Amino acid sequence: MEQTVEQKLKALWALQSIHTKIDKIRQVRGELPIEVADLEDEIAGLDTRIEKIRTDLDDLEDSIVKRKNMIKDAQAAIKKYEGQLNEVKNNREYDAISKEIEIQGLEIQVCEKRIREAEFEIKNKTEGYESTLKNVDYSKGELDVKKQELETITSETQKEEDALSDKAEAATTHIEDRLLKVYSKLRSSFRNGLAVVSIERDSCSGCYNKIPPQLQSEIRQRKKIIICEHCGRIIVDEGIVFEEENG
C-alpha cells in the first residue's frame, strides 16, 4: 500500500532522529579518529625516512671501504713502481714510471677526499637518523595515548551506536528509494547532518530563517513534502516532532 505524505514525513523524521543520536555519539569522539589516522600516517612516513637513511648510511660505509681498498691498491702500485725505478735503463722508462707513481698518488688524494666527504655526510645523516628516531618515539607515545582515549570512548558508546545503526537500517525500509536518495544527499551536504528539520519559533530549525505563515500552514497540513526556500532541507511541523518524542 502506498504511503501517505504524512507517513513519509514521519518516516523521514524518525530516520533523522536516529541519525542525530548517532551523530551526537560520534561527536563525543571529536577529532580523535582523525588524529589517530594522522599520527599513523606520520609514523609511517618517519619509518620510511629512517629506512632511507639506513640505506644511505650503508652505502656511505661501503663507499669508504671501497676507497680505502683503492688507497691500499694505489700504495702497493707505488711501492712496485718505486722498485722498478732502480731497474730503468733510460730516461723514457724513468719518466713513464714516475708518471704512474704520480697518477697513483693523485688517486690516493682523490680517495682520501671522498672518504672525508663520506664521513662528513655520515655524521650529518646520523644526526638526522637519531633525531628522526626521537620523533618516531614521541609520535608513537602520542598515538598510544590517543588510541587508548579512542578505545575507551568507543567501548562506552559502541553498543549504543550499533543498536542505533540497526534501528536506522530498519527505518530506511519505510522510505521509498527516491526520498531516501534526497535525504542522503541533503544529509551529506550539511556538516551537522540535518536533512529533515522542524518548525521552531516560526523559523526553520536548520538555517533559522523565518518561515512565512502561509508556508507554515501548508507544512502543518502534511499534504506535500516542503523544503526550506533558504537551505533546501525538508521541513516537518512541531506535531510530528512531538509524536516522535512521545510515541
Side-chain angles (χ1 to χ4, degrees):
M1 189 172 102
E2 188 175 343
Q3 287 180 312
T4 63
V5 172
E6 181 176 358
Q7 288 172 326
K8 292 176 182 179
L9 289 168
K10 285 182 176 180
L12 284 168
W13 180 255
L15 180 59
Q16 179 66 75
S17 298
I18 297 166
H19 278 150
T20 298
K21 289 175 184 176
I22 293 173
D23 291 342
K24 285 179 180 177
I25 289 173
R26 290 175 178 171
Q27 281 169 13
V28 173
R29 296 173 197 161
E31 298 294 318
L32 274 175
I34 296 171
E35 289 174 11
V36 166
D38 286 346
L39 280 168
E40 287 174 338
D41 289 343
E42 181 184 333
I43 290 168
L46 290 171
D47 284 340
T48 300
R49 189 187 305 171
I50 286 171
E51 192 58 40
K52 173 71 166 57
I53 295 174
R54 278 182 186 149
T55 301
D56 290 346
L57 286 171
D58 287 342
D59 290 344
L60 287 165
E61 293 287 356
D62 288 344
S63 75
I64 288 175
V65 171
K66 181 182 176 183
R67 297 289 179 184
K68 285 182 176 179
N69 287 333
M70 289 170 69
I71 288 172
K72 286 179 183 177
D73 291 343
Q75 288 171 337
I78 288 173
K79 189 173 182 181
K80 182 185 74 171
Y81 290 134
E82 285 176 341
Q84 291 175 358
L85 282 176
N86 298 322
E87 302 172 5
V88 295
K89 297 175 181 177
N90 53 55
N91 287 337
R92 192 179 68 177
E93 288 183 3
Y94 183 88
D95 290 342
I97 292 172
S98 295
K99 187 66 176 175
E100 288 296 333
I101 291 173
E102 182 184 349
I103 290 170
Q104 295 302 321
L106 289 171
E107 179 72 12
I108 290 171
Q109 289 178 26
V110 170
C111 286
E112 288 174 339
K113 182 174 181 291
R114 294 287 183 262
I115 287 171
R116 287 194 298 273
E117 289 171 349
E119 287 174 341
F120 180 75
E121 199 169 346
I122 285 172
K123 180 176 179 295
N124 287 337
K125 284 189 177 290
T126 300
E127 288 173 358
Y129 178 79
E130 290 171 353
S131 174
T132 306
L133 280 179
K134 287 179 183 177
N135 289 338
V136 168
D137 288 341
Y138 177 79
S139 294
K140 283 183 176 177
E142 285 285 291
L143 179 60
D144 288 342
V145 171
K146 297 290 184 185
K147 274 187 170 179
Q148 186 59 49
E149 288 178 19
L150 182 59
E151 188 177 327
T152 300
I153 294 171
T154 301
S155 64
E156 292 171 353
T157 59
Q158 194 63 54
K159 188 175 179 181
E160 183 183 358
E161 183 179 345
D162 289 345
L164 285 168
S165 294
D166 290 342
K167 196 174 178 182
E169 186 65 31
T172 60
T173 62
H174 301 296
I175 303 171
E176 61 187 68
D177 289 343
R178 180 184 64 83
L179 265 182
L180 198 56
K181 285 178 183 176
V182 172
Y183 171 85
S184 298
K185 186 175 180 180
L186 281 170
R187 185 163 153 73
S188 64
S189 299
F190 300 104
R191 287 186 64 184
N192 60 11
L194 293 177
V196 185
V197 294
S198 63
I199 301 172
E200 281 186 15
R201 298 178 183 176
D202 300 325
S203 300
C204 166
S205 63
C207 64
Y208 306 109
N209 280 291
K210 286 288 182 183
I211 301 173
Q214 178 59 37
L215 192 57
Q216 288 187 49
S217 176
E218 290 181 33
I219 293 168
R220 292 188 179 102
Q221 288 173 22
R222 307 177 189 176
K223 299 292 185 184
K224 59 182 178 180
I225 293 172
I226 296 172
I227 63 170
C228 174
E229 59 187 17
H230 298 284
C231 66
R233 293 177 171 95
I234 297 167
I235 306 177
V236 299
D237 65 271
E238 312 93 318
I240 285 180
V241 177
F242 179 81
E243 289 167 22
E244 172 67 23
E245 290 176 350
N246 296 276

